[in-house]
Amino acid sequence: MDCNSSWHFNSSQIEDLLPDMKRSWPDLLKPTSTEFWKYEWHKHGTCAAKADSLNSQHKYFSKALELYHKVDLDRVLRKFNITPSESYYKLSQIEDAIEKSYSIKPKIQCAFGSRRDEVQILGQIELCFDTEFTLLDCERPFPDDTTSKGYGNDVMDVDRSGFSVCQHDMPVYYPPLAKES
């Protein structure tokens, strides 16, 4: 969803942010590429840029990193013994950890293999914010002045990543990161 297709992604505008982005918000499929952030900018950033506080690539990605570090989902999940591993989790365990920590309902998306798979893979956890960047439930309908992740009102879509909302009746696999050789 490009809100402004004339606003092209230019990684040189966020050069100073790239080290933190690679560490904190990596493209797990293509770690050396900027295609993931280009996609995020076109899908979410060009819409968020309607707000003065997010009206440039640098402001948008800076705010995304600021919110990432403030929320620190990795710490929250670890606190509830949910870590990348060969173990499976119930979706309710992940939801409960976030709800108990932040008093909000997240949108949790998974990747699915074939119809015969008996497990889903944790793809992304989306948190929703209002225009003042206060956390709010992702499951409720959004008024015009709220945004999902601070970036757009796309709560139930299946996006280009192939993720869709996780199923409650299937185990969730939170895979360890592949080690680079």
Side-chain angles (χ1 to χ4, degrees):
M1 166 211 280
D2 282 352
C3 287
N4 183 344
S5 59
S6 68
W7 213 343
H8 300 289
F9 178 76
N10 181 348
S11 63
S12 68
Q13 294 180 16
I14 56 170
E15 198 71 35
D16 62 315
L17 302 176
L18 288 176
D20 191 15
M21 290 171 67
K22 288 176 182 175
R23 203 174 32 260
S24 303
W25 193 12
D27 181 341
L28 300 177
L29 301 176
K30 298 177 189 170
T32 60
S33 171
T34 59
E35 286 300 307
F36 169 67
W37 299 309
K38 178 180 179 179
Y39 170 75
E40 292 296 315
W41 171 249
H42 286 288
K43 179 166 182 174
H44 303 295
T46 58
C47 297
K50 293 175 185 176
D52 288 343
S53 64
L54 301 170
N55 67 2
S56 72
Q57 283 179 191
H58 199 276
K59 287 179 183 179
Y60 168 76
F61 286 110
S62 290
K63 179 55 84 172
L65 287 168
E66 175 190 325
L67 293 171
Y68 174 84
H69 293 300
K70 177 182 172 187
V71 171
D72 197 357
L73 275 174
D74 293 330
R75 181 187 52 77
V76 167
L77 294 175
R78 276 193 314 271
K79 178 179 162 186
F80 287 87
N81 297 314
I82 300 168
T83 59
S85 67
E86 296 302 321
S87 301
Y88 295 155
Y89 300 96
K90 293 180 181 177
L91 180 58
S92 60
Q93 288 175 277
I94 300 168
E95 289 173 325
D96 289 348
I98 295 166
E99 290 175 24
K100 286 177 181 164
S101 297
Y102 299 114
S103 302
I104 54 99
K105 292 187 183 301
K107 176 185 170 187
I108 302 175
Q109 295 182 317
C110 289
F112 299 88
S114 72
R115 289 180 181 258
R116 285 182 256 166
D117 283 351
E118 295 180 15
V119 67
Q120 55 197 339
I121 301 167
L122 182 63
Q124 66 183 15
I125 298 173
E126 193 167 313
L127 301 178
C128 300
F129 299 87
D130 65 18
T131 56
E132 301 298 315
F133 304 107
T134 302
L135 284 165
L136 53 85
D137 286 346
C138 291
E139 293 181 359
R140 70 178 191 174
F142 294 114
D144 289 341
D145 68 341
T146 51
T147 56
S148 167
K149 284 200 309 196
Y151 321 128
N153 195 4
D154 57 345
V155 172
M156 296 306 290
D157 66 329
V158 175
D159 63 23
R160 198 180 83 182
S161 67
F163 298 142
S164 58
V165 176
C166 299
Q167 303 299 309
H168 276 90
D169 59 349
M170 290 178 82
V172 177
Y173 178 51
Y174 183 10
L177 290 176
K179 296 208 177 7
E180 290 190 36
S181 36

